[in-house]
Amino acid sequence: MHTVVERELELKLVLSPERSIPVPARLSYRTEDPYAVHITFHIGSDHPVSWTFARELLVEGVFRPCGHGDVRVWPTKVAGRGVVLMALSSPDGDALLEAPATQVSAWLERTLRAVPPGSEADRLGIDAGLAELLAPSPRLSPSLDQGGSPSPDDLWLRDPWPSDESADGE
């Protein structure tokens, strides 16, 4: 079963130290994609703008500056209240967004309860997938063992490259 943890909130797009505009946004976390958080900004256009980055980056950014390149996150105080700033850079432009720290922290706590840190890989099923890939291959069908014609499954299981070794071991 997959869980989705979402939160609607109003961010501020910081235009200058004295001026910002409200931007409705949705924070989303999906347990089938356990390493990522998704933020969708509704900016008044036909298509919302979405960003995806590491949950760990946002968790760390609530406590201390982190990130580099396209996404940087850090805590600060504005007018005496705690906020989380997110600097986003893309070929289309740069944005500095301010989010209420208490709302972001409460949402992050819900994601951490859904998938605790360090257990993300368990959600991906990598171990089960690798076990299936590395399992011994099944024997060819009895029709081939008895000199019959191959089934489509038998052809799929054959090695497509002939061996460099001779049949008699020379």
Side-chain angles (χ1 to χ4, degrees), residues 2 29-38 52 55 123-124:
H2 297 294
Y29 178 77
R30 297 187 277 284
T31 57
E32 70 264 22
D33 188 10
Y35 290 105
V37 294
H38 309 273
T52 301
R55 176 176 71 163
R123 293 290 182 149
L124 297 175

Side-chain angles (χ1 to χ4, degrees), residues 18-98:
E18 302 83 28
R19 188 164 171 245
S20 63
I21 57 173
V23 176
R26 175 183 293 130
L27 301 173
S28 298
Y29 178 77
R30 297 187 277 284
T31 57
E32 70 264 22
D33 188 10
Y35 290 105
V37 294
H38 309 273
I39 302 178
T40 303
F41 306 102
H42 303 281
I43 55 173
S45 66
D46 291 338
H47 303 287
V49 174
S50 295
W51 278 74
T52 301
F53 53 90
R55 176 176 71 163
E56 184 178 352
L57 178 66
L58 190 54
V59 169
E60 186 175 338
V62 167
F63 298 103
R64 67 188 140 275
C66 66
H68 61 278
D70 294 345
V71 180
R72 292 176 293 124
V73 183
W74 66 96
T76 193
K77 296 252 185 214
V78 173
R81 63 184 181 81
V83 297
V84 176
L85 293 175
M86 292 178 277
L88 307 175
S89 297
S90 78
D92 295 326
D94 301 325
L96 178 61
L97 295 146
E98 178 185 305

Side-chain angles (χ1 to χ4, degrees), residues 139-144 148-158:
R139 286 182 41 89
L140 296 178
S141 69
S143 64
L144 267 186
S149 61
S151 73
D153 288 337
D154 293 331
L155 294 174
W156 175 257
L157 294 173
R158 280 195 182 158

